[in-house]
Amino acid sequence: MNNKGKYKDKLFDLYSKLLRTAIAIVPIAESEDLVHDTLEYFLKREQKYTDHQNLEAVAIMKLKNIKIDKWRNKSGTRFEEIDETFIRDYIYENEDDFAKIERIIDFNKLFSKIGEKCKEIMNLSLDYSYGEISTLLDIEKATVGSRLSRCYEELREIGKDG
């Protein structure tokens, strides 16, 4: 069997795992569509991902990203553009909750100012180990730690400046 056939077999073997992940993050009625969109993404980019070492991790990450993109497109907004007054008045009545949402809003404003590479590696660090990130980004494990450290420092500096 050629590489093309192996890639498709490998991809379609992920279907059940992708479906379980989709069911965990969207209503069941939407889960199959989300999985199909994810598989379609990888089928269209077969050449890029044929020799990827950890197709499963990338596919799950892409599934989550597709869901986020769909939510953003459906809502017509990004989080940093949400009306903060509405959040304060209708969602968070408790003062402790108000403080939490303020921190989230502040963090998202800061996060939007850092570089794309930092956003990528920081997002990956929420769901994956340094070893998995090093595989996904094709970099050394120690480099993952160094980059994350620099990115958190960049975030702190932006926070100090304003």
Side-chain angles (χ1 to χ4, degrees):
M1 184 180 279
N2 60 16
N3 273 349
K4 192 173 187 173
K6 287 180 184 178
Y7 173 78
K8 287 182 179 178
D9 287 346
K10 201 165 137 182
L11 191 59
F12 288 117
D13 285 346
L14 295 174
Y15 183 86
S16 62
K17 187 169 247 182
L18 290 172
L19 186 59
R20 284 193 304 272
T21 304
I23 289 170
I25 61 175
V26 298
I28 292 174
E30 297 175 28
S31 60
E32 284 189 349
D33 288 341
L34 184 58
V35 172
H36 291 164
D37 290 346
T38 304
L39 292 174
E40 181 181 8
Y41 172 87
F42 284 97
L43 287 171
K44 287 180 179 177
R45 291 159 183 83
E46 181 175 347
Q47 197 169 25
K48 180 178 179 181
Y49 293 102
T50 297
D51 296 324
H52 200 283
Q53 293 179 1
N54 198 345
L55 184 61
E56 179 181 325
V58 175
I60 290 172
M61 183 176 67
K62 187 62 185 174
L63 180 128
K64 292 177 181 180
N65 289 340
I66 289 172
K67 170 56 184 152
I68 291 168
D69 290 343
K70 283 184 174 194
W71 176 82
R72 285 178 176 162
N73 290 336
K74 185 177 180 181
S75 68
T77 187
R78 295 203 175 277
F79 182 79
E80 59 267 17
E81 297 169 358
I82 290 177
D83 182 2
E84 296 173 26
T85 306
F86 175 82
I87 293 172
R88 283 189 209 108
D89 294 345
Y90 297 101
I91 298 176
Y92 293 97
E93 296 170 9
N94 178 323
E95 190 172 346
D96 291 332
D97 291 337
F98 175 74
K100 288 177 191 172
I101 197 63
E102 284 295 312
R103 285 194 303 273
I104 291 170
I105 290 168
D106 291 344
F107 176 80
N108 277 316
K109 286 178 181 175
L110 292 175
F111 192 74
S112 70
K113 295 178 182 178
I114 64 174
E116 289 302 315
K117 284 189 175 186
C118 282
K119 286 179 187 175
E120 177 185 34
I121 199 163
M122 290 173 84
N123 278 325
L124 288 171
S125 73
L126 298 174
D127 294 323
Y128 299 102
S129 69
Y130 281 22
E132 291 169 322
I133 295 170
S134 72
T135 301
L136 286 169
L137 299 179
D138 196 27
I139 58 176
E140 294 295 321
K141 197 173 178 179
T143 305
V144 172
S146 300
R147 283 190 187 174
L148 277 170
S149 179
R150 282 193 298 270
C151 291
Y152 285 121
E153 184 59 35
E154 180 182 342
L155 198 59
R156 278 191 288 277
E157 289 301 315
I158 292 171
K160 287 179 188 175
D161 296 338

